[in-house]
Amino acid sequence: MGGAGGRAGFYVGLGLALASSAFIGGSFILKKKGLLRLCRRGRARAGQGGHAYLQEWLWWAGLLCMGAGEAANFAAYAFAPATLVTPLGALSVLVSAVLSSTFLNEQLNVHGKIGCILSILGSTVMVIHAPQEEEVSSLESMAEKLKDPGFIVFAVCVLVSSLLLIFVAGPRYGQSNVLVYVLVCSAIGSLSVSCVKGLGIALKELFSGKPVLKEPLGWVLLVCLVICISVQINYLNKALDIFNTSVVTPIYYVLFTTAVMMCSAILFKEWQHMVLDNIIGTISGFLTIVSGIFLLHVFRDMPFTPDLLPLFLQQGRADLHASWRSADRHQSCQHQPLLPSEDKGSQSAEEEEEEEGESM
């Protein structure tokens, strides 16, 4: 990203990605609140194929919020590489986790807080070591990349696996396994990012005065993007309606980021010219994010108590507690000469009163 233009694009993409994470993280909460209100009213649930959420204003507010986040994300992909923008989606996990604990009464224990911190640290490392993508400055060069055999194989695998998940695994395991619907959203989402990159290039050419509207590729990418987003919204609603928000959001982030990194590496050859330290940094940052998401997801319902500590730490805690008690006892013994004299004085006064009462 050398040069003033590269640095400017980096900061523009970074700012748009941060705004996108804030909007998307808040949209999960609004949509979940809308789905919960419908459930309390006894309406047909989205997880059972119902579409009553279309009549709930909270759900529409969440959709608009997600639309704003996706628009910011759209612009961010036009200015910066996908491997730079996508990891910043970890911040949407943090926003969603904090807001869900506040507005949905979903507990965020110490493991979840550590997981959020690890996600942020991992995202920072990935941003520092973000790879350079091959320059794609026109729709013609984008069309050449879309014809690459590696990308064609990847796209066919994504479509076939998504169809199997929707029509085979969905009816059997969709109600009990969170991965089914989230995998559909993530796989289709990787293709939507490619469409976004292509449309971003088309908009740049349009603003520069080129006759982009006559190019069929731009319209094909727009239609594919609408289809991909529609599929993502539908199956993300199913996952949110059935499972906890703090479960869906981090798993969706990990799978979506993995799919986008694979798609970008194949389509834009982002990893082809990377040096070893950037490769190690990118992989390490991503594994740090996955570790944080793992903590946030696996231990979400486990309260942190001293009984969970290892035995040697519990023994040390017991010894420390015993030393504190002995110190308190020693400190109270230092003040003991004053207290017994007061107690004895009051006790002798009471005895004298009792004797006087008996003599009378």
Side-chain angles (χ1 to χ4, degrees), residues 31-39 46 53 59 237 240-241:
K31 292 168 77 173
K32 182 67 175 183
K33 290 281 286 186
L35 294 172
L36 289 175
R37 289 182 62 176
L38 290 174
C39 182
Y53 55 83
W59 184 87
N237 280 329
L240 284 173
D241 186 49

Side-chain angles (χ1 to χ4, degrees), residues 263-274:
C263 182
S264 299
I266 294 172
L267 183 60
F268 298 106
K269 308 294 188 297
E270 293 181 346
W271 297 67
Q272 187 170 352
H273 304 291
M274 289 181 65

Side-chain angles (χ1 to χ4, degrees), residues 34-56 59 237-238 241-242:
L35 294 172
L36 289 175
R37 289 182 62 176
L38 290 174
C39 182
R40 288 194 296 267
R41 296 174 187 172
R43 307 293 295 274
R45 302 183 62 176
Q48 300 173 350
H51 296 86
Y53 55 83
L54 295 176
Q55 302 175 2
E56 176 58 48
W59 184 87
N237 280 329
K238 290 178 179 291
D241 186 49
I242 298 171

Side-chain angles (χ1 to χ4, degrees), residues 15-315:
L16 290 171
L18 293 175
S20 172
S21 298
F23 279 113
I24 292 176
S27 71
F28 282 104
I29 307 303
L30 291 173
K31 292 168 77 173
K32 182 67 175 183
K33 290 281 286 186
L35 294 172
L36 289 175
R37 289 182 62 176
L38 290 174
C39 182
R40 288 194 296 267
R41 296 174 187 172
R43 307 293 295 274
R45 302 183 62 176
Q48 300 173 350
H51 296 86
Y53 55 83
L54 295 176
Q55 302 175 2
E56 176 58 48
W57 71 269
L58 268 178
W59 184 87
W60 281 105
L63 182 63
L64 292 175
C65 192
M66 177 168 281
E70 293 295 342
N73 206 36
F74 178 94
Y77 280 115
F79 284 97
T83 313
L84 169 67
V85 177
T86 305
L88 293 178
L91 297 179
S92 66
V93 179
L94 173 63
V95 172
S96 178
V98 173
L99 292 180
S100 62
S101 64
T102 304
F103 296 103
L104 298 179
N105 296 322
E106 297 179 2
Q107 297 298 323
L108 183 64
N109 55 18
V110 65
H111 303 90
K113 296 175 183 177
I114 295 174
C116 291
I117 294 174
L118 287 176
S119 299
I120 296 174
L121 293 177
S123 298
T124 304
V125 173
M126 289 196 70
V127 169
I128 293 173
H129 298 279
Q132 294 281 347
E133 64 184 3
E134 289 187 356
E135 186 65 25
V136 182
S137 57
S138 64
L139 285 179
E140 294 181 358
S141 57
M142 184 69 183
E144 292 297 325
K145 289 188 174 299
L146 292 175
K147 295 177 183 178
D148 185 77
F151 177 75
I152 293 175
V153 171
F154 175 81
V156 170
C157 291
V158 166
L159 293 176
V160 172
S161 60
S162 299
L163 291 174
L164 290 175
L165 287 170
I166 292 172
F167 295 106
V168 178
R172 296 181 181 179
Y173 310 108
Q175 299 290 326
S176 58
N177 194 328
V178 68
L179 292 177
V180 176
Y181 294 139
V182 177
L183 276 172
V184 175
C185 298
S186 303
I188 298 299
S190 65
L191 298 181
S192 67
V193 169
S194 303
C195 297
V196 166
K197 292 286 291 186
L199 290 175
I201 295 170
L203 287 176
K204 287 183 178 179
E205 289 190 327
L206 180 63
F207 292 147
S208 63
K210 296 182 180 180
V212 179
L213 298 178
K214 298 180 181 180
E215 296 288 338
L217 179 60
W219 296 105
V220 171
L221 291 175
L222 180 60
V223 172
C224 292
L225 180 62
V226 171
I227 294 174
C228 290
I229 290 178
S230 301
V231 173
Q232 285 181 264
I233 291 175
N234 183 39
Y235 287 96
L236 186 58
N237 280 329
K238 290 178 179 291
L240 284 173
D241 186 49
I242 298 171
F243 304 100
N244 197 306
T245 308
S246 60
V247 176
V248 175
T249 307
I251 293 179
Y252 175 65
Y253 168 76
V254 171
L255 296 178
F256 176 72
T257 303
T258 304
V260 170
M261 290 176 63
M262 292 175 59
C263 182
S264 299
I266 294 172
L267 183 60
F268 298 106
K269 308 294 188 297
E270 293 181 346
W271 297 67
Q272 187 170 352
H273 304 291
M274 289 181 65
V275 295
L276 182 61
D277 58 343
N278 285 336
I279 293 176
I280 295 175
T282 302
I283 295 176
S284 300
F286 182 66
L287 292 178
T288 303
I289 295 173
V290 172
S291 301
I293 299 301
F294 178 81
L295 284 175
L296 187 63
H297 166 56
V298 174
F299 302 105
R300 67 186 186 277
D301 296 326
M302 182 180 294
F304 185 78
T305 60
D307 296 336
L308 298 177
L309 294 174
L311 293 177
F312 70 94
L313 290 179
Q314 292 184 21
Q315 182 64 32

Side-chain angles (χ1 to χ4, degrees), residues 319-340:
D319 295 340
L320 182 61
H321 184 65
S323 64
W324 285 348
R325 292 184 61 183
S326 62
D328 292 339
R329 190 181 303 112
H330 178 69
Q331 185 177 4
S332 63
C333 290
Q334 292 178 352
H335 298 282
Q336 198 169 4
L338 292 177
L339 297 177

